[in-house]
Amino acid sequence: MLSVTAFDHVVLNVRDVEASAAWYARVLGMTRRDVTSANGIRRTSMTFGAMMLNLRPVDMDTDAWFTGAAAVAGSDDLCFLSDAAPDAVVRHLASCGVAIAAGPVARRGARGEMTSVYCRDPDGNLIEIARYGPA
């Protein structure tokens, strides 16, 4: 029987790669990485820890960058973990001019109880910033 062990990367379909890359760098502290593939396609990735978030333009030809059945921006819910206290996350988002959609609120994640703060990225994706342990 096959079993998987982890996510390697997630591909996010976005309306504007530059706006999304700037947001993920400024708000979530990710590092931008641009690479050109063997077929000449430039791809933008945002890295954090051992994880990667690829930013795929919604208008890109699916032959150039294979994707899901519908390349739609703003339909994802992503949860990112942070060591920051929820109140610090709220203050950081406010300092970045990012509206809080909800939180801090108690939630259940893959490893148990956590406290989450929610906001939206430039495409309207729901972004959850969570911390395990006491609020």
Side-chain angles (χ1 to χ4, degrees):
M1 165 130 180
L2 172 74
S3 63
V4 297
T5 58
F7 278 108
D8 180 76
H9 66 277
V10 172
V11 178
L12 244 169
N13 288 295
V14 300
R15 287 184 198 91
D16 183 334
V17 169
E18 294 303 318
S20 293
W23 191 89
Y24 282 95
R26 178 176 58 88
V27 177
L28 298 184
M30 294 182 186
T31 301
R32 180 179 177 150
R33 186 176 83 187
D34 293 305
V35 297
T36 302
S37 63
N39 61 355
I41 303 297
R42 188 184 107 193
R43 295 180 184 220
T44 298
S45 300
M46 304 305 294
T47 61
F48 55 105
M51 311 300 162
M52 184 168 67
L53 183 64
N54 289 331
L55 304 177
R56 182 194 177 279
V58 292
D59 59 358
M60 178 172 272
D61 181 358
T62 56
D63 289 334
W65 190 338
F66 193 58
T67 193
V72 178
S75 63
D76 295 300
D77 297 351
L78 302 171
C79 179
F80 296 99
L81 297 177
S82 174
D83 291 331
D87 290 342
V89 172
V90 168
R91 285 191 303 276
H92 172 73
L93 293 175
S95 74
C96 291
V98 175
I100 304 294
V105 293
R107 292 290 188 252
R108 179 146 186 90
R111 298 185 323 218
E113 296 301 316
M114 60 186 189
T115 304
S116 300
V117 177
Y118 293 86
C119 64
R120 296 200 180 270
D121 76 0
D123 287 300
N125 292 303
L126 186 63
I127 304 300
E128 178 180 0
I129 304 167
R131 181 175 93 164
Y132 282 102

